[in-house]
Amino acid sequence: MDIRPLAAKDREPLAALIRRIETFSPQEVEVAIELVDIALTGGNKDYSIIVAERDGQMVGYVCYGPTPMTEDTYDLYWIASAPEVRGQGVGAALVSGMEGDLRRRRARLIRVETSATEAYGPTRGFYASMKYGEEARIRDFYKVGDDLIILTKRL
């Protein structure tokens, strides 16, 4: 598996992968692809993307960037792996690649926002396995019955 920075040639395969993620709503798909386009724009300093490729196929990605108006804090905005490779270490490799990049940038804190719904249970379990802990919860944030969970990891 190849873990590497996003390249222009990755735009369409990555957009196709994002469209296949069953937990992403149509609006989330639109925003995720918009961030890919911004990340590919020259001079962009807001979003970084690392992709995972296996046997010439796009199998995952992580999008992250500096949290505005903070010192050395970063947001992990999106992470996804193709359904057929889940549980095979793709997500862990992407998070490790992101964390390595952020250590080089002297980041001190990574923040993740996620949903409390049952569909996001495996996602929360994944973050826990990567040592991200719950920092805060806002009840009924996304909609009634769907809390926002904020997770953090200190580097």
Side-chain angles (χ1 to χ4, degrees):
M1 181 167 46
D2 186 24
I3 304 293
R4 60 176 173 72
L6 178 71
K9 69 181 179 70
D10 300 321
R11 198 269 182 206
E12 290 309 315
L14 183 51
L17 172 68
I18 290 168
R19 288 184 190 101
R20 292 179 51 217
I21 305 303
E22 62 281 357
T23 54
F24 289 177
S25 71
Q27 184 180 17
E28 289 170 323
V29 167
E30 183 180 324
V31 170
I33 294 171
E34 181 180 321
L35 296 188
V36 170
D37 291 337
I38 293 170
L40 288 169
T41 303
N44 161 62
K45 293 182 190 218
D46 294 327
Y47 303 103
S48 296
I49 293 179
I50 297 173
V51 298
E53 202 172 43
R54 181 184 286 167
D55 300 325
Q57 298 295 314
M58 184 70 55
V59 294
Y61 88 111
V62 61
C63 176
Y64 57 99
T67 307
M69 298 183 288
T70 67
E71 290 183 5
D72 307 320
T73 299
Y74 287 77
D75 282 303
L76 188 167
Y77 293 110
W78 300 93
I79 184 167
S81 58
E84 65 273 11
V85 300
R86 294 209 184 115
Q88 297 179 22
V90 173
L94 287 164
V95 168
S96 294
M98 175 196 71
E99 289 176 358
D101 178 42
L102 293 179
R103 282 185 179 93
R104 287 186 291 280
R105 297 185 198 196
R106 302 193 189 276
R108 63 182 177 81
L109 182 69
I110 303 170
R111 183 177 73 114
V112 181
E113 295 183 356
T114 192
S115 168
T117 60
E118 185 177 329
Y120 278 86
T123 302
R124 293 189 306 276
F126 167 74
Y127 287 129
S129 75
M130 298 300 295
K131 308 296 185 218
Y132 286 74
E134 185 171 328
E135 192 76 29
R137 180 182 291 248
I138 301 173
R139 306 265 178 228
D140 301 324
F141 181 81
Y142 294 108
K143 62 184 176 188
V144 173
D146 188 0
D147 301 348
L148 163 67
I149 300 174
I150 300 171
L151 307 169
T152 61
K153 182 174 183 176
R154 297 184 187 283
L155 295 180

